[in-house]
Amino acid sequence: QQPVQSPQAVILREGEDAVINCSSSKALYSVHWYRQKHGEAPVFLMILLKGGEQMRHEKISASFNEKKQQSSLYLTASQLSYSGTYFCGTPARGSGNTGKLIFGQGTTLQVKP
Amino acid sequence: SQTIHQWPATLVQPVGSPLSLECTVEGTSNPNLYWYRQAAGRGLQLLFYSVGIGQISSEVPQNLSASRPQDRQFILSSKKLLLSDSGFYLCAWSLGLAAEQYFGPGTRLTVT
């Protein structure tokens, strides 16, 4: 039930682009994206809803392909501040109104000068 | 605006000692509350969640327990800590179905 993220790790130079994928074996109706900087708590980036539009957070955007049961996070013209671990989260089966999420294993992004 | 507090920020405890971590949320009512644990370099493991006062659901059988004595207060406890309880403990809140979660600053626990 845990979503699978790929790749596990990415190393970029400033200004380069990256894509992080999040796939699920079950039908999705929403996908959440969070970023966690080293030693800090995760921070909410955006939520993708079934049938919704592509979302953006600064120069980070995300898409949601319901048929493929997959979401992708696009980091454009990466900055040093983008470094961290990115997690996707999907509602747990039968979570009802609990808001319970199951998180992927994370993708570590390192942006170098 | 809403804020979430956790304390203490860091804690070093010997094996077998008790534990009490506290989380409080301000600026919202009747939030869903969550406790996560994150081992070094690993992902987020959901430990407990609560949809209301006194309502606790456990995700992982272990020697930890949680309580919600007030609407915006969530407590994580243990009677006897194990070495494997070391980690980064995060409290989070959300409102309703499919809503985003907001995390507190976390407590870094080292059991020696």
Side-chain angles (χ1 to χ4, degrees), chain B residues 75-101:
Chain B
I75 297 171
L76 183 70
S77 304
S78 174
K79 291 183 179 178
K80 287 186 178 181
L81 284 169
L82 306 172
L83 284 175
S84 57
D85 291 324
S86 293
F88 191 35
Y89 287 81
L90 292 154
C91 180
W93 70 271
S94 74
L95 288 177
L97 177 66
E100 61 271 25
Q101 294 188 12

mmCIF file of all heavy atoms in Angstrom, chain B residues 75-101:
data_model
loop_
_atom_site.group_PDB
_atom_site.id
_atom_site.type_symbol
_atom_site.label_atom_id
_atom_site.label_comp_id
_atom_site.label_asym_id
_atom_site.label_seq_id
_atom_site.Cartn_x
_atom_site.Cartn_y
_atom_site.Cartn_z
ATOM 1 N N ILE B 75 -0.332 13.615 23.389
ATOM 2 C CA ILE B 75 0.806 13.198 24.198
ATOM 3 C C ILE B 75 1.240 11.797 23.793
ATOM 4 O O ILE B 75 0.402 10.906 23.613
ATOM 5 C CB ILE B 75 0.449 13.239 25.697
ATOM 6 C CG1 ILE B 75 0.132 14.681 26.109
ATOM 7 C CG2 ILE B 75 1.587 12.679 26.544
ATOM 8 C CD1 ILE B 75 -0.436 14.820 27.501
ATOM 9 N N LEU B 76 2.524 11.613 23.672
ATOM 10 C CA LEU B 76 3.101 10.301 23.377
ATOM 11 C C LEU B 76 3.870 9.837 24.606
ATOM 12 O O LEU B 76 4.663 10.598 25.152
ATOM 13 C CB LEU B 76 4.048 10.394 22.178
ATOM 14 C CG LEU B 76 4.677 9.084 21.701
ATOM 15 C CD1 LEU B 76 3.627 8.192 21.054
ATOM 16 C CD2 LEU B 76 5.802 9.360 20.707
ATOM 17 N N SER B 77 3.616 8.604 25.019
ATOM 18 C CA SER B 77 4.216 8.128 26.265
ATOM 19 C C SER B 77 4.781 6.725 26.114
ATOM 20 O O SER B 77 4.414 5.975 25.200
ATOM 21 C CB SER B 77 3.154 8.089 27.382
ATOM 22 O OG SER B 77 2.555 9.337 27.559
ATOM 23 N N SER B 78 5.660 6.415 27.043
ATOM 24 C CA SER B 78 6.151 5.047 27.184
ATOM 25 C C SER B 78 6.475 4.820 28.657
ATOM 26 O O SER B 78 6.953 5.720 29.338
ATOM 27 C CB SER B 78 7.398 4.812 26.336
ATOM 28 O OG SER B 78 7.938 3.535 26.601
ATOM 29 N N LYS B 79 6.237 3.613 29.122
ATOM 30 C CA LYS B 79 6.572 3.294 30.513
ATOM 31 C C LYS B 79 8.045 2.896 30.619
ATOM 32 O O LYS B 79 8.716 3.196 31.606
ATOM 33 C CB LYS B 79 5.679 2.165 31.016
ATOM 34 C CG LYS B 79 4.235 2.576 31.184
ATOM 35 C CD LYS B 79 3.397 1.439 31.755
ATOM 36 C CE LYS B 79 1.951 1.885 31.924
ATOM 37 N NZ LYS B 79 1.085 0.785 32.432
ATOM 38 N N LYS B 80 8.528 2.209 29.571
ATOM 39 C CA LYS B 80 9.923 1.752 29.581
ATOM 40 C C LYS B 80 10.494 1.827 28.179
ATOM 41 O O LYS B 80 10.100 1.056 27.309
ATOM 42 C CB LYS B 80 10.024 0.309 30.088
ATOM 43 C CG LYS B 80 9.798 0.122 31.572
ATOM 44 C CD LYS B 80 10.058 -1.317 31.991
ATOM 45 C CE LYS B 80 9.886 -1.492 33.487
ATOM 46 N NZ LYS B 80 10.164 -2.891 33.912
ATOM 47 N N LEU B 81 11.433 2.711 27.981
ATOM 48 C CA LEU B 81 12.011 2.893 26.661
ATOM 49 C C LEU B 81 12.957 1.761 26.272
ATOM 50 O O LEU B 81 13.664 1.192 27.115
ATOM 51 C CB LEU B 81 12.775 4.212 26.605
ATOM 52 C CG LEU B 81 11.931 5.478 26.504
ATOM 53 C CD1 LEU B 81 12.786 6.706 26.733
ATOM 54 C CD2 LEU B 81 11.222 5.550 25.159
ATOM 55 N N LEU B 82 12.962 1.475 24.971
ATOM 56 C CA LEU B 82 13.888 0.508 24.393
ATOM 57 C C LEU B 82 14.876 1.258 23.517
ATOM 58 O O LEU B 82 14.598 2.378 23.057
ATOM 59 C CB LEU B 82 13.126 -0.507 23.530
ATOM 60 C CG LEU B 82 11.962 -1.243 24.177
ATOM 61 C CD1 LEU B 82 11.212 -2.058 23.133
ATOM 62 C CD2 LEU B 82 12.443 -2.120 25.312
ATOM 63 N N LEU B 83 16.017 0.639 23.235
ATOM 64 C CA LEU B 83 16.992 1.263 22.337
ATOM 65 C C LEU B 83 16.356 1.577 20.983
ATOM 66 O O LEU B 83 16.634 2.619 20.372
ATOM 67 C CB LEU B 83 18.202 0.342 22.134
ATOM 68 C CG LEU B 83 19.201 0.251 23.280
ATOM 69 C CD1 LEU B 83 20.257 -0.801 22.967
ATOM 70 C CD2 LEU B 83 19.865 1.601 23.536
ATOM 71 N N SER B 84 15.478 0.699 20.537
ATOM 72 C CA SER B 84 14.845 0.860 19.226
ATOM 73 C C SER B 84 13.854 2.010 19.183
ATOM 74 O O SER B 84 13.335 2.351 18.117
ATOM 75 C CB SER B 84 14.135 -0.435 18.822
ATOM 76 O OG SER B 84 13.188 -0.794 19.807
ATOM 77 N N ASP B 85 13.578 2.630 20.330
ATOM 78 C CA ASP B 85 12.676 3.784 20.344
ATOM 79 C C ASP B 85 13.377 5.074 19.942
ATOM 80 O O ASP B 85 12.726 6.107 19.757
ATOM 81 C CB ASP B 85 12.064 3.960 21.739
ATOM 82 C CG ASP B 85 11.087 2.856 22.086
ATOM 83 O OD1 ASP B 85 10.370 2.382 21.174
ATOM 84 O OD2 ASP B 85 11.042 2.458 23.275
ATOM 85 N N SER B 86 14.673 5.042 19.782
ATOM 86 C CA SER B 86 15.399 6.240 19.346
ATOM 87 C C SER B 86 14.889 6.689 17.982
ATOM 88 O O SER B 86 14.567 5.865 17.121
ATOM 89 C CB SER B 86 16.896 5.946 19.249
ATOM 90 O OG SER B 86 17.453 5.708 20.518
ATOM 91 N N GLY B 87 14.840 7.997 17.783
ATOM 92 C CA GLY B 87 14.388 8.514 16.497
ATOM 93 C C GLY B 87 13.917 9.945 16.609
ATOM 94 O O GLY B 87 14.027 10.571 17.666
ATOM 95 N N PHE B 88 13.392 10.413 15.518
ATOM 96 C CA PHE B 88 12.867 11.778 15.419
ATOM 97 C C PHE B 88 11.343 11.652 15.471
ATOM 98 O O PHE B 88 10.735 11.046 14.583
ATOM 99 C CB PHE B 88 13.343 12.381 14.107
ATOM 100 C CG PHE B 88 13.128 13.853 13.956
ATOM 101 C CD1 PHE B 88 13.238 14.716 15.032
ATOM 102 C CD2 PHE B 88 12.837 14.394 12.714
ATOM 103 C CE1 PHE B 88 13.045 16.087 14.880
ATOM 104 C CE2 PHE B 88 12.655 15.764 12.547
ATOM 105 C CZ PHE B 88 12.755 16.601 13.634
ATOM 106 N N TYR B 89 10.742 12.198 16.510
ATOM 107 C CA TYR B 89 9.298 12.085 16.703
ATOM 108 C C TYR B 89 8.619 13.369 16.254
ATOM 109 O O TYR B 89 8.951 14.460 16.709
ATOM 110 C CB TYR B 89 8.971 11.789 18.170
ATOM 111 C CG TYR B 89 9.321 10.372 18.549
ATOM 112 C CD1 TYR B 89 10.628 10.010 18.863
ATOM 113 C CD2 TYR B 89 8.348 9.373 18.541
ATOM 114 C CE1 TYR B 89 10.960 8.708 19.178
ATOM 115 C CE2 TYR B 89 8.666 8.068 18.862
ATOM 116 C CZ TYR B 89 9.971 7.740 19.170
ATOM 117 O OH TYR B 89 10.291 6.438 19.470
ATOM 118 N N LEU B 90 7.675 13.189 15.371
ATOM 119 C CA LEU B 90 6.988 14.323 14.777
ATOM 120 C C LEU B 90 5.500 14.255 15.062
ATOM 121 O O LEU B 90 4.875 13.202 14.908
ATOM 122 C CB LEU B 90 7.201 14.334 13.263
ATOM 123 C CG LEU B 90 8.631 14.618 12.800
ATOM 124 C CD1 LEU B 90 8.884 14.005 11.446
ATOM 125 C CD2 LEU B 90 8.874 16.120 12.756
ATOM 126 N N CYS B 91 4.950 15.385 15.460
ATOM 127 C CA CYS B 91 3.522 15.525 15.624
ATOM 128 C C CYS B 91 2.999 16.329 14.437
ATOM 129 O O CYS B 91 3.705 17.216 13.926
ATOM 130 C CB CYS B 91 3.225 16.247 16.936
ATOM 131 S SG CYS B 91 1.481 16.515 17.290
ATOM 132 N N ALA B 92 1.821 16.019 13.966
ATOM 133 C CA ALA B 92 1.247 16.742 12.836
ATOM 134 C C ALA B 92 -0.253 16.910 13.048
ATOM 135 O O ALA B 92 -0.869 16.161 13.814
ATOM 136 C CB ALA B 92 1.525 16.020 11.523
ATOM 137 N N TRP B 93 -0.825 17.887 12.356
ATOM 138 C CA TRP B 93 -2.269 18.077 12.420
ATOM 139 C C TRP B 93 -2.812 18.295 11.021
ATOM 140 O O TRP B 93 -2.106 18.705 10.100
ATOM 141 C CB TRP B 93 -2.633 19.255 13.338
ATOM 142 C CG TRP B 93 -2.269 20.607 12.806
ATOM 143 C CD1 TRP B 93 -1.076 21.255 12.987
ATOM 144 C CD2 TRP B 93 -3.082 21.480 12.018
ATOM 145 N NE1 TRP B 93 -1.093 22.471 12.353
ATOM 146 C CE2 TRP B 93 -2.315 22.654 11.752
ATOM 147 C CE3 TRP B 93 -4.377 21.401 11.515
ATOM 148 C CZ2 TRP B 93 -2.816 23.707 11.015
ATOM 149 C CZ3 TRP B 93 -4.878 22.458 10.777
ATOM 150 C CH2 TRP B 93 -4.091 23.593 10.533
ATOM 151 N N SER B 94 -4.095 18.014 10.870
ATOM 152 C CA SER B 94 -4.782 18.310 9.618
ATOM 153 C C SER B 94 -6.259 18.522 9.948
ATOM 154 O O SER B 94 -6.720 18.243 11.058
ATOM 155 C CB SER B 94 -4.635 17.167 8.613
ATOM 156 O OG SER B 94 -5.442 16.056 8.974
ATOM 157 N N LEU B 95 -6.982 19.026 8.945
ATOM 158 C CA LEU B 95 -8.419 19.221 9.099
ATOM 159 C C LEU B 95 -9.135 18.437 8.013
ATOM 160 O O LEU B 95 -9.077 18.785 6.852
ATOM 161 C CB LEU B 95 -8.778 20.706 9.002
ATOM 162 C CG LEU B 95 -8.377 21.597 10.176
ATOM 163 C CD1 LEU B 95 -8.734 23.043 9.886
ATOM 164 C CD2 LEU B 95 -9.061 21.138 11.462
ATOM 165 N N GLY B 96 -9.777 17.376 8.396
ATOM 166 C CA GLY B 96 -10.697 16.719 7.486
ATOM 167 C C GLY B 96 -10.084 15.785 6.468
ATOM 168 O O GLY B 96 -8.910 15.449 6.476
ATOM 169 N N LEU B 97 -10.939 15.417 5.537
ATOM 170 C CA LEU B 97 -10.615 14.411 4.543
ATOM 171 C C LEU B 97 -9.608 14.941 3.538
ATOM 172 O O LEU B 97 -9.779 16.036 3.005
ATOM 173 C CB LEU B 97 -11.920 14.022 3.821
ATOM 174 C CG LEU B 97 -11.831 13.028 2.693
ATOM 175 C CD1 LEU B 97 -11.414 11.670 3.231
ATOM 176 C CD2 LEU B 97 -13.177 12.936 1.995
ATOM 177 N N ALA B 98 -8.558 14.176 3.254
ATOM 178 C CA ALA B 98 -7.573 14.473 2.203
ATOM 179 C C ALA B 98 -6.894 15.817 2.384
ATOM 180 O O ALA B 98 -6.366 16.384 1.434
ATOM 181 C CB ALA B 98 -8.220 14.416 0.816
ATOM 182 N N ALA B 99 -6.911 16.348 3.627
ATOM 183 C CA ALA B 99 -6.296 17.656 3.853
ATOM 184 C C ALA B 99 -4.808 17.521 4.107
ATOM 185 O O ALA B 99 -4.330 16.487 4.576
ATOM 186 C CB ALA B 99 -6.952 18.327 5.039
ATOM 187 N N GLU B 100 -4.092 18.582 3.809
ATOM 188 C CA GLU B 100 -2.651 18.556 4.036
ATOM 189 C C GLU B 100 -2.350 18.487 5.526
ATOM 190 O O GLU B 100 -3.145 18.916 6.364
ATOM 191 C CB GLU B 100 -1.993 19.804 3.434
ATOM 192 C CG GLU B 100 -2.471 21.112 4.021
ATOM 193 C CD GLU B 100 -3.688 21.681 3.291
ATOM 194 O OE1 GLU B 100 -4.446 20.894 2.673
ATOM 195 O OE2 GLU B 100 -3.880 22.902 3.374
ATOM 196 N N GLN B 101 -1.182 17.935 5.826
ATOM 197 C CA GLN B 101 -0.747 17.836 7.214
ATOM 198 C C GLN B 101 0.361 18.851 7.470
ATOM 199 O O GLN B 101 1.217 19.091 6.620
ATOM 200 C CB GLN B 101 -0.238 16.425 7.511
ATOM 201 C CG GLN B 101 -1.339 15.381 7.438
ATOM 202 C CD GLN B 101 -0.911 14.010 7.899
ATOM 203 O OE1 GLN B 101 0.154 13.836 8.492
ATOM 204 N NE2 GLN B 101 -1.747 13.014 7.656
#
